[in-house]
């Protein structure tokens, strides 16, 4: 009888351990699924590419524009790159009208960019400053923060008009 009791205990103990192992595998699966969900949420921030809606942060008269083409790179535009944009919303009485096509410089991008010192810069929105064919800004003021990476891209006039350089 003692042998049969010990075998029952062994079976019960084994089933408990089996349950623990199954639960731990389930928790590993759920944590890997959570890692995949986190990874997918990080992938939402991408390059500025065709049909990306952008905010205009100067006083040229445009409110929102849509990217038609990124002029550099196959994937898309990043901070300081030039893009061709179409005006989607505009203030009445501004220099720029709805439906016009202009050039723009990306001054804020939601995609993070690494700096030489190891830090990374990332903004909450995608924003541009409209420029003419010669590369001069159409507006006379630039609102909000502007990264100092524009200095490397030779957009010094935009930096001089900006109220805050990050």
């Amino acid at each position: 009888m003692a042998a049969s009791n010990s075998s029952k205990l062994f079976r019960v103990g084994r089933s408990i351990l089996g349950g623990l192992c199954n639960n731990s595998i389930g928790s590993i699966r759920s944590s890997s699924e959570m890692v995949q969900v986190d990874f997918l949420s990080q992938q939402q921030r991408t390059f500025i590419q065709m049909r990306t809606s952008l905010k205009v942060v100067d006083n040229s008269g445009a409110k929102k524009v849509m990217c038609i083409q990124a002029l550099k790179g196959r994937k898309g535009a990043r901070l300081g790159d030039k893009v061709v944009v179409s005006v989607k919303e505009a203030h009445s009485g501004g220099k720029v009208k709805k439906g016009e096509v202009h050039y723009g410089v990306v001054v804020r991008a939601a995609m993070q960019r690494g700096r030489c010192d190891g830090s990374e810069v990332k903004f909450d929105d995608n924003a541009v400053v409209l420029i003419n064919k010669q590369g001069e800004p159409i507006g006379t003021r630039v609102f909000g923060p502007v990264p100092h990476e524009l200095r490397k891209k030779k957009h010094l006039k935009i930096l001089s008009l900006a109220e805050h350089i990050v």
Side-chain angles (χ1 to χ4, degrees):
M1 235 188 339
S4 66
N5 284 340
S6 65
S7 64
K8 286 180 186 176
L9 288 175
F10 179 70
R11 287 185 200 139
V12 170
R14 188 170 179 195
S15 67
I16 290 173
L17 287 176
L20 287 177
C21 290
N22 290 340
N23 288 340
S24 65
I25 291 170
S27 67
I28 290 171
R29 286 181 186 157
S30 64
S31 67
S32 66
E33 288 170 1
M34 289 188 331
V35 169
Q36 288 174 356
V37 169
D38 290 339
F39 181 70
L40 291 175
S41 67
Q42 289 176 356
Q43 282 185 334
Q44 290 176 352
R45 299 187 182 272
T46 59
F47 291 96
I48 293 169
Q49 54 194 350
M50 191 183 301
R51 297 186 58 86
T52 301
S53 180
L54 303 160
K55 182 179 175 182
V56 180
V57 292
D58 62 5
N59 62 347
S60 61
K63 292 182 193 176
K64 291 200 181 228
V65 295
M66 184 180 67
C67 178
I68 296 175
Q69 182 181 9
L71 294 178
K72 183 184 174 203
R74 281 183 268 162
K75 288 187 179 180
R78 297 181 82 175
L79 284 176
D81 291 344
K82 290 183 183 179
V83 292
V84 180
V85 295
S86 171
V87 179
K88 291 298 174 186
E89 291 180 25
H91 292 288
S92 60
K95 297 177 187 174
V96 176
K97 306 294 183 216
K98 181 179 176 182
E100 292 181 350
V101 176
H102 290 279
Y103 290 100
V105 175
V106 179
V107 294
R108 292 201 291 261
M111 184 177 182
Q112 64 188 9
R113 174 158 183 166
R115 289 186 168 171
C116 297
D117 61 355
S119 63
E120 292 179 334
V121 61
K122 172 173 70 169
F123 295 96
D124 291 336
D125 59 348
N126 297 319
V128 296
V129 171
L130 298 182
I131 59 173
N132 57 16
K133 290 187 179 183
Q134 289 78 29
E136 300 165 353
I138 294 174
T140 56
R141 294 177 63 197
V142 176
F143 306 110
V146 173
H148 71 267
E149 278 84 3
L150 296 179
R151 190 175 308 278
K152 295 177 188 172
K153 303 275 185 165
K154 308 289 189 233
H155 299 294
L156 298 175
K157 183 69 175 173
I158 295 173
L159 283 172
S160 66
L161 294 175
E163 58 185 31
H164 186 67
I165 298 173
V166 183

